[in-house]
Amino acid sequence: MTNGSRVPPMAPGRLPLIGHAVPLIKDRLAFLQRLRTHGPVVRVSVGPKTLTVVNSPDLMHKMLTVQADEFTKGLLFEKLKLFGKDALPVAEGKPHLRRRRMMQPAFHRQQIEGYVNTMRESVEPYVAGWDGGTVLDVKTEMQLMAQGVVMSALFSATPEREPADALLHSVDTVFRTALKRALLPVSVLEKLPTRGNRKARAASTGLRSAVADIIAEHRARPDAYDDIVSLLLTARDDTGATLADDEILSEIVALLAAGSETTAVVLAWLFHELGRNPEMERLLHEEVDSVLAEGPLTAERVARLVHTRRLVSETLRMYSPAWLVTRQAISDVRLGEFVLPAGSDVIWSAYALHRDPDLYPDPLRFDPDRWLPERPQPPKGAFVPFGSGKRMCIGDAFAWTETIIITALIASRWRLRPTPGTVRPVGAISTHPSSLQMVPELRHHSVAGRVR
């Protein structure tokens, strides 16, 4: 390379033929964290494929902001087109810009405030329906709850338990397939009539069919609904054109999938940590009881749940769902002292970034007070739970509000007690717990013993 630039170094431990496949398979989260000790940018190989890993928060921030146009979203997002080939999370270039501008009004902060009642009313039946003393699969329960919230806001529907389970299974199937194809990018295997490929196609088809019926119902009775589908049906671009039904379908399927997965794993980890930290749990209960004593959750009351928000912030830091995000260089790209050749597959990890001891003191300690305003805050670009730049998650404000509301409503009625067993983070499509079973215990003394 010219001007003293060079190709990033290869991480140690590469084996002939298989490269770094063994540590990546054995414990991919730990492997990504170890890579941070080998410099700001480093390469790894998986079989014949080479990946460039960006570790520096400064270079990561530049890649996502001022240099964003020099990259496409890369391998993982290409595989996520199973949800819809033109949906906002996977769209590129001008189609992405057009789609984002059209969808943005549905996620303005004022619009999010209008969803608070919908969120609360969706969550209340789930929270009231638990049986004290009965072991819960916490991740599944949180997924169903988050899915119910997203469906209520998207298209004014809250499914019964059985169809909700089926929908959740379809989302999980498509997510697992996308991750597998990204980690083992052999296109010919995706076309074979294997059982896994058939299941993925059936899950994707089923999701799209269910949402297509909802869009048709909204078109037939437009005055009967006030939700995100309604907004998308009337959204127009700069030329006055509206979104086609297939475009709306792709966006709704993608929002439903992302909204039920990422929020759920954050909630699962949050209550796991509360189960291990009685003092933090007590402070949460005090705050929630105080706010709910004045009436049901509203946008104004949600804003007063400051300790609850710090709990969510710390969960997003320590258990960031985004353990793997991909990009691909469109042409030769300079990152710091390195040059990435055109076509380079790039990955970065918010999970590893958020656990870097150079950025966060005592990073493996769950400490919501690190987010107190009087405490030193992480440097710019070091806390990116929803990404950064023009591709930052469009639903970040929705997710914050939803997570705080669900946390508060659960805490107003229940304690979740841990059960014996080891709980460890697993890098799947998000950072989910290996297994998390907890027992709900009714808070008889709570002033919010009733869920409004």
Side-chain angles (χ1 to χ4, degrees):
M1 296 293 175
T2 59
N3 300 325
S5 59
R6 57 192 179 94
V7 174
M10 183 66 69
R14 179 174 59 167
L15 297 175
L17 299 179
I18 63 172
H20 298 90
V22 172
L24 190 59
I25 292 171
K26 185 177 180 180
D27 190 342
R28 56 190 64 152
L29 296 177
F31 177 61
L32 283 173
Q33 286 181 260
R34 288 196 301 272
L35 290 178
R36 299 188 65 75
T37 65
H38 299 305
V41 185
V42 66
R43 289 181 300 149
V44 299
S45 66
V46 183
K49 192 165 191 66
T50 298
L51 304 171
T52 300
V53 184
V54 179
N55 293 320
S56 160
D58 290 338
L59 296 181
M60 196 181 297
H61 180 71
K62 289 177 181 177
M63 181 176 68
L64 299 176
T65 54
V66 296
Q67 293 182 267
D69 290 338
E70 299 179 63
F71 297 89
T72 63
K73 296 212 73 175
L75 198 57
L76 178 59
F77 294 92
E78 182 67 29
K79 304 309 177 184
L80 283 171
K81 288 184 178 180
L82 279 164
F83 283 119
K85 62 184 179 66
D86 296 319
L88 183 64
V90 297
E92 303 283 2
K94 289 183 179 179
H96 171 267
L97 181 60
R98 171 183 178 265
R99 195 71 66 84
R100 189 175 183 98
R101 285 175 174 169
M102 294 179 75
M103 292 183 64
Q104 195 69 59
F107 295 95
H108 282 159
R109 190 161 298 278
Q110 187 174 4
Q111 191 72 33
I112 300 300
E113 291 177 357
Y115 299 147
V116 169
N117 288 344
T118 299
M119 292 179 179
R120 187 189 70 243
E121 291 166 3
S122 171
V123 171
E124 286 172 350
Y126 287 97
V127 174
W130 286 348
D131 292 324
T134 301
V135 176
L136 297 176
D137 180 325
V138 175
K139 179 175 179 271
T140 297
E141 291 299 317
M142 299 305 175
Q143 280 182 300
L144 289 169
M145 208 175 297
Q147 180 178 271
V149 168
V150 174
M151 290 180 71
S152 294
L154 287 175
F155 37 74
S156 308
T158 304
E160 298 296 327
R161 176 84 187 208
E162 187 172 334
D165 279 333
L167 200 60
L168 197 58
H169 179 73
S170 294
V171 169
D172 283 346
T173 298
V174 176
F175 267 139
R176 284 197 303 271
T177 303
L179 180 65
K180 182 178 179 181
R181 291 178 179 180
L183 294 178
L184 186 64
V186 182
S187 296
V188 67
L189 297 179
E190 300 172 15
K191 297 177 173 62
L192 297 177
T194 64
R195 182 171 178 267
N197 286 341
R198 289 197 304 270
K199 286 178 64 177
R201 281 193 293 272
S204 179
T205 300
L207 275 173
R208 294 177 68 82
S209 176
V211 175
D213 290 343
I214 291 163
I215 293 172
E217 164 67 12
H218 277 62
R219 283 215 183 274
R221 298 197 301 142
D223 295 334
Y225 299 97
D226 181 16
D227 50 31
I228 293 177
V229 168
S230 302
L231 290 172
L232 295 184
L233 285 170
T234 58
R236 296 182 180 274
D237 64 15
D238 294 340
T239 70
T242 59
L243 289 168
D245 278 8
D246 193 59
E247 292 178 302
I248 297 173
L249 191 155
S250 292
E251 296 302 347
I252 294 300
V253 170
L255 288 168
L256 176 61
S260 60
E261 172 69 19
T262 54
T263 300
V265 295
V266 171
L267 286 162
W269 285 119
L270 191 157
F271 281 96
H272 168 65
E273 287 293 342
L274 288 177
R276 303 197 303 173
N277 293 278
E279 178 60 17
M280 291 180 197
E281 183 184 59
R282 182 186 67 79
L283 292 173
L284 171 64
H285 290 161
E286 287 182 357
E287 177 176 83
V288 168
D289 291 351
S290 173
V291 171
L292 287 183
E294 300 177 15
L297 277 179
T298 59
E300 183 275 331
R301 290 183 181 125
V302 168
R304 289 163 51 197
L305 295 170
V306 292
H307 176 68
T308 310
R309 187 180 180 90
R310 288 197 296 272
L311 285 168
V312 174
S313 295
E314 183 66 349
T315 309
L316 283 166
R317 180 198 69 81
M318 193 163 170
Y319 299 103
S320 176
W323 74 271
L324 176 72
V325 186
T326 61
R327 291 292 187 269
Q328 187 176 70
I330 297 172
S331 57
D332 290 0
V333 178
R334 179 182 291 276
L335 273 182
E337 63 181 297
F338 304 107
V339 168
L340 281 52
S344 294
D345 286 304
V346 182
I347 64 175
W348 61 277
S349 172
Y351 178 91
L353 176 75
H354 294 167
R355 289 175 170 233
D356 190 328
D358 291 336
L359 302 171
Y360 294 93
D362 198 4
L364 300 186
R365 183 166 70 94
F366 187 83
D367 178 18
D369 284 349
R370 74 172 75 236
W371 300 102
L372 286 167
E374 60 267 27
R375 294 270 292 268
Q377 297 301 297
K380 184 178 181 179
F383 184 59
V384 286
F386 296 98
S388 186
K390 65 182 182 181
R391 283 199 168 276
M392 182 174 178
C393 175
I394 196 171
D396 63 319
F398 186 102
W400 275 106
T401 304
E402 173 191 14
T403 308
I404 291 170
I405 286 174
I406 295 176
T407 300
L409 291 177
I410 291 174
S412 72
R413 181 181 290 263
W414 302 100
R415 289 187 173 88
L416 293 183
R417 302 270 66 90
T419 59
T422 301
V423 181
R424 59 183 179 83
V426 175
I429 197 65
S430 61
T431 312
H432 69 73
S434 53
S435 176
L436 181 57
Q437 295 188 325
M438 303 184 78
V439 178
E441 177 184 290
L442 196 62
R443 294 184 57 218
H444 295 290
H445 64 282
S446 169
V447 298
R450 65 194 184 285
V451 180
R452 295 181 175 88

